[in-house]
Structures are given as structure tokens and as C-alpha cells.
Amino acid sequence: MDPRKSENEGNLDPDQSGLIYQMALDIGGSLAKLVYFTYDEDCAIEGKDGMSPEKAVAKSKGSKSCAVLRGKLNFKIFETSKINDCLEFIKSVKLRLGGCQRQENPGSQAIAVKATGGGAYKYTDLFKERLGINLDKEDEMDCLVAGANFLLKAVHQEAYTYMGGQKQFMDVDHNDLYPYLLVSIGSGVSMIKVEGDGKFERVSGTSIGGGTFWGLGKLLTKCKNFDELLELSYQGNNRVIDMLVGDIYGGTDYSKIGLSSTTIASSFGKVISNDKEIEDYKAEDIARSLLRMISNNIGQISYLNALRFGLKRIFFGGFFIRSHPFTMDTISVAVNFWSKGEAKALFLQHEGFLGAMGAFMSSDQHELKKLLENKAVHQQASSIKACAIAGDLHGDESIECCVYSV
Ligand SMILES: Nc1ncnc2c1ncn2[C@@H]1O[C@H](COP(=O)(O)OP(=O)(O)OP(=O)(O)O)[C@@H](O)[C@H]1O
Ligand SMILES: CC(C)(CO)[C@@H](O)C(=O)NCCC(=O)O
């Protein structure tokens, strides 16, 4: 491959030859997330005399007629530290925002793209100078909540519980969704009490999040990428590193206060009594202890905040989760343990894309927004499985969807 080309160039999914009708970005501390809608120009509109999408959209405005735009919602991630890959990707696709602008001559015509996350501020000039794109900033918390509400209401089987290796999808009753606690586990963690559309409060947060796991993991295990660290944690045994209740109590439970002998009494606590150097520990065991420590801590703080406000459902999002069984199991067990079964941990299929989805939904100057307003995006059950977000960093995910304008 030509070393001057970015990793993504020349490697586009054929679907991306479709026009990008709308795009939004969430540029966080660790990852930049893109959501964009593509449709095939030739057959995108259904039901209205075979007219072009733009015409059908225009015609449906102010009338009771129904236009259906068939296309795909696409999801893509890049490491924020490699923001140039993201810029190259955007440059290489046909961007046709609002149905009327083409990005053929960056600089000559400003295009506005909704963007959220800290990077929307940090990289404003970069996007403008390199792509002629004005990042139209949306508040990160607004976007997280809007994205979560939209996905929970519009995407069939978006939420699920995970316990003992079993994933159980939950049907969301639109009339019984609120209130809930949204926990976004990105580089840092935000905890948001959600009471309705646009009705929320960020009630807590912790700096011990996904960035901590990846940062400490990188230091302690010399792993080169996040997936490698996750994979290691899968194979490790945390008992070699963590001090358990049984280690302190001579192998027995401390049942009087409800602690079994296998409960972790002190994360990484066993290391102090061992005369070992870091090289003497297996990277797998370190990764496992680290993942348990961070996941347990987030599960516990989340539960405490749910308790503060009497919330029974806690939805966990953010890319730290990566649909990883051990992470989800640890969080679920923590919530279940601390709440004595009263509160429930729920996970989201599009865990890492809440903010980007919210930014996407916030567009107000494009035709697609007008189509999406008050509409539902339906997807077939079979395509949900195909759009699990776990996978390699540059992997594409997409959902077949229809946008209805009524
Ligand atoms: N391929 C990856 N590379 C780096 N981190 C990854 C990767 N996959 C998952 N992660 C985890 O996801 C976290 C980032 O999650 P997310 O994208 O939701 O947050 P962010 O928007 O970057 O952070 P913040 O919201 O705090 O600014 C990382 O800190 C890391 O723990
Ligand atoms: C600063 C943000 C909101 C940026 O996404 C996030 O990383 C976060 O919520 N960090 C935790 C900060 C705290 O509440 O301690």
C-alpha cells in the first residue's frame, strides 16, 4: 500500500459510494465517532411516483403524504490521536449534505457538520482549513441523552441485560422509559439522570474510566492496543493480583457483613505481600485485575447515584464497554450486589455512538432532519446482530433503515 495514503483511503465499503446525506461527529478524548446516512440515489425513495429523493422530500413538506427514504445509518470510529485518518476518510467520501452541497472543492464552499465532544472545540480550525467544514457545536451531554433516547425508542432490541454469559434483550416501553440513569463510560465517566427528552441532569462523574483502564494497562502490560489489552484480560486470573476476603480471613467468608471469601477485599492488594517485580506477573492477570477494578468501581458509583435518585434502571454506554462479556458481567454483578437485586444494569447495542447519534439528530438545516423528526428508524432483527459495534477499530458498521416523512 502507498505509505502516503491513510489507512482508510482506497479501502472504502462499496456502500460508501452512495451519497452521504448527513453526517455528525463526536470527537472525544480517546475516540472520534462518525455517524452518517447514505442512500442509493437511484432507488432511495419509495412510494411516490419514482421521483428523486429531494423532490419527494419537498413534496411531502406541508402535506399529509408519506415519503420513505431507504438507506443506511453508518457508524465509524477513529482514534482521536489519529484525527488525520478521520479527516482523510471524510475527504474521500462523497459528502452531499443537505441534498445540495458537494464537497469537491474544500475551501470554496463552507459546509456545516454537527459535532460534539471536546474535539469539536479543539479541532475547529483543522476541519475548516483542511476540509472547508464548519463544525457546528452541540453540547456533549445534550447529545448523549438525545442519542440514548432516540436509540432506545427507535431501534428494536437496542438495550439488553448481561448476566452469567447470557444476553437478554429488553423491549423498551416508550411510556415507561423514564426516569433512568445514563452512565457514559468514555475516557472519563459521566452519570446523567434522564427524565425525558431534553430533561436531564449530570449528577456525577468519575475520572476513573476507560482512559484509566487503557492508560494503566498500557503502562503495566506493554500492550500496543486496546483490543489486545481486552483480549488479555479475558485469559487472566485476578486472584494472583487482588487480595480477596479469603486471603485476609484464612479462606473463610465474612458472612456477618455479607462478604464471601472470593470477594475482592483490595484490588491489587496481593502485590504488596509478594516479593515480586512487575516482570514476574503475567500481563493477563494484571489486565484482568485492572478491568475488574475499574468496572466494579463504575458499577458501584453508578448504583449509589441510582440510589440517590431512586432510579431502578441504569443504562451503560461508552466505548469502554465494547460489548465485552467480562466487563458487562462485572458491572452487572456490582449493580446487582450493591442494590440487592433492586437495580438493573442495561447495555446498549450502539454503546459508543450515543453522542454522535445525538449530534446527528440535532441537525436542523438539512432535509434529513426534517424527515427524521417525529419519525422512527426501523431495522430488521437480522441486521441488528450484524451491527454489533465490537470489532476492529476501523471496522464499518451500518444499519439498514428507512426514514419516514409523514
Ligand atoms: N480501539 C480503541 N482505542 C482506544 N480506546 C478504546 C478502543 N476501543 C475502546 N476503547 C475504550 O473506549 C474509551 C473511549 O470511549 P468513548 O469513545 O466512549 O469516550 P471518549 O468520547 O473518547 O471520551 P470522553 O467522552 O471522556 O472525552 C477509551 O478510553 C478506551 O477505554
Ligand atoms: C470531561 C468529559 C465530560 C469529557 O467527555 C468526561 O471525560 C468526563 O465526564 N470525565 C469525568 C470528569 C469528572 O466528573 O470527574
Side-chain angles (χ1 to χ4, degrees):
M1 187 180 173
D2 183 341
R4 289 162 302 175
K5 279 191 170 180
S6 88
E7 264 178 79
N8 294 295
E9 226 173 324
N11 191 25
L12 293 177
D13 184 289
D15 290 341
Q16 283 153 6
S17 63
L19 292 170
I20 294 188
Y21 201 61
Q22 185 167 310
M23 174 185 277
L25 288 153
D26 173 7
I27 312 175
S30 307
L31 299 172
K33 282 78 58 179
L34 250 79
V35 173
Y36 58 96
F37 182 78
T38 47
Y39 69 88
D40 187 344
E41 218 178 16
D42 300 330
C43 59
I45 276 281
E46 225 180 44
K48 281 282 145 204
D49 321 323
M51 64 184 77
S52 76
E54 285 85 358
K55 267 196 193 151
V57 173
K59 195 170 176 195
S60 72
K61 271 191 252 171
S63 78
K64 291 263 183 282
S65 67
C66 173
V68 182
L69 189 62
R70 284 194 184 281
K72 277 188 177 148
L73 265 185
N74 304 273
F75 301 86
K76 207 158 173 70
I77 53 176
F78 299 87
E79 285 175 51
T80 305
S81 59
K82 296 180 186 159
I83 195 72
N84 281 333
D85 286 355
C86 177
L87 292 167
E88 287 298 330
F89 174 79
I90 296 172
K91 203 170 161 186
S92 67
V93 292
K94 287 188 221 162
L95 193 55
R96 183 181 166 151
L97 300 167
C100 61
Q101 292 171 316
R102 228 174 239 282
Q103 192 210 347
E104 272 164 357
N105 198 1
S108 66
Q109 189 181 36
I111 295 173
V113 169
K114 284 287 180 188
T116 189
Y121 296 83
K122 190 171 169 182
Y123 298 115
T124 302
D125 294 345
L126 190 68
F127 273 78
K128 181 79 188 160
E129 280 157 23
R130 292 269 301 276
L131 302 177
I133 287 179
N134 281 330
L135 295 182
D136 192 359
K137 298 165 195 61
E138 286 292 323
D139 177 75
E140 189 181 335
M141 300 299 131
D142 284 344
C143 288
L144 281 174
V145 172
N149 283 345
F150 171 73
L151 288 164
L152 283 167
K153 287 180 194 166
V155 179
H156 179 53
Q157 296 195 324
E158 175 65 22
Y160 59 94
T161 54
Y162 194 90
M163 269 288 206
Q166 295 295 319
K167 200 172 188 176
Q168 201 163 4
F169 287 101
M170 189 191 101
D171 284 326
V172 173
D173 176 352
H174 291 202
N175 300 316
D176 187 29
L177 174 60
Y178 310 112
Y180 67 84
L181 186 73
L182 177 62
V183 179
S184 172
I185 318 177
S187 317
V189 186
S190 285
M191 294 172 189
I192 309 164
K193 177 177 64 145
V194 183
E195 292 182 302
D197 275 329
K199 207 171 161 219
F200 66 88
E201 185 191 350
R202 184 182 188 273
V203 291
S204 196
T206 167
S207 62
I208 300 174
T212 320
F213 172 65
W214 179 206
L216 275 179
K218 202 170 170 185
L219 271 181
L220 297 173
T221 68
K222 308 270 185 291
C223 272
K224 291 281 175 285
N225 64 57
F226 183 87
D227 289 333
E228 202 187 321
L229 184 65
L230 262 192
E231 185 57 37
L232 275 183
S233 73
Y234 212 64
Q235 300 152 17
N237 176 5
N238 69 298
R239 294 179 187 200
V240 181
I241 310 272
D242 293 338
M243 188 186 282
L244 308 186
V245 170
D247 293 327
I248 302 171
Y249 273 78
T252 61
D253 299 338
Y254 185 178
S255 34
K256 196 175 168 193
I257 58 165
L259 298 176
S260 76
S261 64
T262 54
T263 303
I264 298 172
S266 169
S267 292
F268 282 76
K270 204 173 265 177
V271 174
I272 53 173
S273 51
N274 290 336
D275 194 16
K276 286 184 184 172
E277 299 296 321
I278 191 158
E279 296 75 28
D280 301 324
Y281 290 99
K282 284 197 205 159
E284 293 90 311
D285 299 341
I286 294 174
R288 182 109 175 170
S289 291
L290 200 52
L291 189 61
R292 278 204 79 166
M293 180 176 84
I294 308 274
S295 304
N296 259 330
N297 193 56
I298 294 170
Q300 184 172 14
I301 299 173
S302 303
Y303 155 71
L304 288 171
N305 278 289
L307 185 71
R308 260 175 89 194
F309 300 102
L311 309 172
K312 297 275 180 258
R313 275 183 296 202
I314 311 175
F315 289 99
F316 290 89
F319 256 118
F320 166 72
I321 299 169
R322 286 297 291 271
S323 306
H324 192 267
F326 184 61
T327 306
M328 296 191 296
D329 218 39
T330 306
I331 291 175
S332 299
V333 168
V335 169
N336 188 57
F337 175 82
W338 287 106
S339 73
K340 297 191 171 62
E342 284 283 299
K344 208 177 248 178
L346 291 134
F347 302 93
L348 299 164
Q349 290 276 67
H350 297 91
E351 52 190 17
F353 287 103
L354 307 184
M357 199 63 230
F360 184 89
M361 297 300 293
S362 74
S363 284
D364 53 12
Q365 74 266 53
H366 304 315
E367 297 301 311
L368 189 58
K369 161 71 179 175
K370 289 167 195 146
L371 282 172
L372 281 168
E373 252 170 12
N374 311 317
K375 316 300 174 291
V377 173
H378 294 287
Q379 71 180 96
Q380 290 153 2
S382 59
S383 66
I384 294 171
K385 290 186 191 98
C387 80
I389 300 300
D392 61 347
L393 182 59
H394 295 288
D396 294 85
E397 312 293 343
S398 58
I399 310 177
E400 297 275 356
C401 65
C402 301
V403 181
Y404 293 85
S405 171
V406 282

